[in-house]
Amino acid sequence: MTAGRDDPWLMRTYSGHSSAEASNALYRTNLARGQTGLSVAFDLPTQTGYDADHPLARGEVGKVGVPIAHLGDMRSLFLDLPLDQMNTSMTINATAPWLLALYCALADERGIDRAQLSGTVQNDIIKEYLSRGTYIFPPDPSLRLINDVVVFCADHLPKWNPTNVCSYHLQEAGATPEEELAFALATAIEVLDRVRANPALDAADFPRVVGRISFFVNAGIRFVTEMCKMRAFTELWDEICRTRYGITEARYRRFRYGVQVNSLGLTEQQPENNVYRILLEAMAVVLSKSARARAVQLPAWNEAMGLPREWDQQWSLRLQQILAFETDLLDYGDLFDGSPVVAEKVSALKAAAYAELARIEAMGGAVAAIESGYMKRRLVESNTRRLRAIESGEQMVVGVNAYIDSAPSPLTGEADEAIMTVDPGVEQAQIDALHLWRANRDEAAVVEALSALKAAALSGDNIMPPSIAAAKIGVTTGEWAAALRSVFGEYRAPTGVGAGALAKDRGLAIIQAEISDLAQHLGRRPKFLVGKPGLDGHSNGAEQIATAARDCGFEVVYEGIRLTPARIVNAALEEGVHVIGLSILSGSHTVLVEEVLAQMNKAGIGDVPLVVGGIIPPKDAERLIAAGVARVFTPKDFKITAIMREIAALLAQKAAA
């Protein structure tokens, strides 16, 4: 390496699938190819606190990440990987205390000093209420659990990042750069205010705690704006640490962040173009030295089509390596210092972020802004504006609404071969292994450990010590979460789909007239149920469909995320709906849709049209149509008003029959 050259950032690939054993093999392969840090993706049952044999886990096991039910799975996941020499990032939130407890239990088992463990748990529940939906408990107990992890790490894991404030999914949910800045900083303030007030933390340790707060951000395609956003983040955080928290040491005020560049902008149409998008987005977070990411993970070119293969992940890793090792990027100081254009843009972003922070503060902080629905409503409205701009052509997306003529791509000649699929047998294998694990443990000790866990939750004691003890006894993810559910209860966040949000901005006169005619024929307004079956909490698409359907004239039934097929069908029956629309992005569409169809037939409403949207490969779409689905929509169907007209035509055809 050239003298004086900066060290490169940590290079990660967000990965995990099928089983702990398969994921371990993938990690060892990626590390051998030059990856310098692990970024663990967990499946939805693990993220939401269910074991593989729970009814809500059906179809979801191993689909978007690795299933981890107990210490045995954690042993398999990190087999032959040196925990004390690695930097491990775990994208886990509601169950973050539990996964960290399992990690600590594994380190203890191997005789590794916890103080040597280096890594991150995301542990940001605020954005789960706003975007990803993998929350379990209400806001206050959830913030208490984050607080417990922060204080525990301050005492026992000094090299660990105990919370990773995540604005990535805010942008995925539609946030503008100003909203991404403000909402993320409001979350960090909410956490630190509570930590500072915690009597269990020595006040002298607080600056060190602030220094361990990290962030995980998004970088979109608007290269200059995104680079300026990162400089604004850096300056804002420094100012907040100084003025609000009195942090005098510069090292504790440093804005430490990792990044995954934008997946929202990846296109199913001409997906090869995504390679250029990913490169430009990566450059936005590494070019400015003063605001350079400390860790980068990049999506694969084909993620809008399905689960990336090992080779696709390698391609993204090579992009990082070329940037870091072939270019002269790391040889120079900051390229943008002194630029009046950059300074002006950064100043504007900071001013807008401070104004938004003031609004949130006036409401009582981030939790109050969540519970009132304010933050969620803002994201839904911003996303609606974004989609409207793409649909109208105001925002150009190459290969989607501009330059759509294309030669056949050799990369996607066989579209179903361009992605990885998870063996359906993985779920049953995980269930069988879970049952074997339970059969071979000391049940009396498990009961005692769960009792101690509940007692800590009730008393306000730190949740981490009894969680680690429970991990060592053999408690499972579902049992840990169920114990805390019994104390804290469960939560359903606001949907953000309010009345008449942006109807005036949509040129919908034609379809509104069509829906009006259909209503006259039916004798009432057509009723559209939008459902999110299973554990997939990415509700952005469902919210936009619900909003558009309401604006077009449908009566809309939308209860939010995480619904069983039986609950969806029961709601359809009780509400007397004319059409059911399901949104599934987790890859579990085949199992869940077929279950909904079976439940519909059992309930006697099999004649109600069922439409489905999600990242659905062509062969799966054919299977769903053959099973009785009326229409399948994928990311290439970006014109929401066209979708509404197609559904309206479907209902009109049925009414005329």
Side-chain angles (χ1 to χ4, degrees), residues 245-436:
Y245 298 116
I247 307 300
T248 57
E249 292 188 61
R251 60 178 174 147
Y252 293 146
R253 301 196 307 267
R254 188 178 302 128
F255 184 76
R256 301 162 56 251
Y257 79 98
V259 65
Q260 158 122 358
V261 307
N262 190 280
S263 294
L264 180 67
L266 301 182
T267 63
E268 182 182 4
Q269 305 94 315
Q270 300 180 22
E272 60 275 6
N273 297 341
N274 294 331
V275 177
Y276 309 126
R277 294 184 176 108
I278 293 165
L279 172 60
L280 288 168
E281 290 163 353
M283 290 175 68
V285 297
V286 298
L287 276 184
S288 179
K289 180 177 179 177
S290 65
R292 182 172 293 150
R294 293 171 65 92
V296 177
Q297 59 191 46
L298 303 179
W301 68 281
N302 55 350
E303 286 193 19
M305 302 165 61
L307 192 64
R309 300 158 300 184
E310 181 182 307
W311 182 86
D312 306 314
Q313 293 190 342
Q314 174 188 299
W315 198 6
S316 287
L317 177 61
R318 294 292 181 255
L319 186 155
Q320 291 202 60
Q321 291 167 331
I322 290 167
L323 266 178
F325 303 121
E326 291 193 25
T327 76
D328 57 355
L329 169 65
L330 297 175
D331 291 340
Y332 297 96
D334 199 292
L335 306 177
F336 303 101
D337 285 351
S339 164
V341 173
V342 170
E344 182 179 0
K345 182 63 176 177
V346 170
S347 178
L349 287 168
K350 287 175 62 179
Y354 271 132
E356 185 62 55
L357 275 170
R359 279 190 287 273
I360 293 170
E361 189 91 6
M363 294 176 193
V367 167
I370 290 287
E371 293 177 331
S372 70
Y374 169 76
M375 291 169 79
K376 181 67 170 178
R377 188 167 60 252
R378 285 290 298 270
L379 293 180
V380 172
E381 291 175 357
S382 294
N383 205 19
T384 300
R385 281 190 291 270
R386 182 189 69 84
L387 292 172
R388 175 179 172 269
I390 294 172
E391 188 170 342
S392 69
E394 178 186 347
Q395 180 175 326
M396 184 183 291
V397 182
V398 173
V400 174
N401 62 5
Y403 307 110
I404 58 177
D405 185 52
S406 175
S409 168
L411 294 175
T412 59
E414 293 291 334
D416 289 296
E417 304 303 320
I419 58 172
M420 188 183 80
T421 55
V422 175
D423 184 345
V426 162
E427 183 167 317
Q428 190 57 51
Q430 180 70 10
I431 292 172
D432 292 343
L434 175 66
H435 291 169
L436 183 62

Side-chain angles (χ1 to χ4, degrees), residues 42 74 88 90 92 95-107 114 117 119-121 123 148-150 152-153 157 160-162 464 467-468 471:
F42 296 97
M74 194 63 94
T88 302
M90 295 191 279
I92 198 72
T95 53
W98 176 242
L99 270 298
L100 182 58
L102 288 170
Y103 199 78
C104 288
L106 181 61
R114 293 178 190 172
L117 298 179
T120 303
V121 277
N123 202 25
D148 283 355
V149 171
V150 172
F152 179 82
C153 288
L157 281 77
W160 197 270
N161 300 321
M464 288 303 299
S467 293
I468 294 172

Side-chain angles (χ1 to χ4, degrees), residues 42-52 57 60 62 65-69 73 92-96 98-99 102 136 430 477-478 481 535:
F42 296 97
D43 73 354
L44 288 173
T46 304
Q47 292 185 52
T48 52
Y50 294 106
D51 289 330
E60 306 280 17
V66 58
I68 298 295
D73 285 339
I92 198 72
N93 296 285
T95 53
W98 176 242
L99 270 298
L102 288 170
I136 301 174
Q430 180 70 10
T477 298
L535 297 176

Side-chain angles (χ1 to χ4, degrees), residues 148-225:
D148 283 355
V149 171
V150 172
V151 173
F152 179 82
C153 288
D155 291 339
H156 301 283
L157 281 77
K159 297 165 68 175
W160 197 270
N161 300 321
T163 187
N164 186 231
V165 177
C166 180
S167 71
Y168 174 84
H169 295 282
L170 301 180
Q171 187 178 128
E172 295 283 292
T176 64
E178 296 83 356
E179 288 167 346
E180 187 179 345
L181 286 165
F183 290 4
L185 293 169
T187 297
I189 288 168
E190 186 80 46
V191 170
L192 285 178
D193 282 357
R194 292 177 183 235
V195 169
R196 183 169 57 176
N198 190 333
L201 181 73
D202 189 325
D205 288 334
F206 184 69
R208 184 167 56 86
V209 167
V210 174
R212 294 313 305 179
I213 301 299
S214 62
F215 291 77
F216 189 72
V217 305
N218 202 326
I221 195 64
R222 292 175 60 80
F223 169 81
V224 175
T225 298

Side-chain angles (χ1 to χ4, degrees), residues 529 567-577 580 605 608:
L529 185 150
R567 179 167 173 175
I568 290 171
V569 172
N570 186 60
L573 191 63
E574 290 183 348
E575 294 282 351
V577 303
I580 300 172
I605 57 171
V608 173

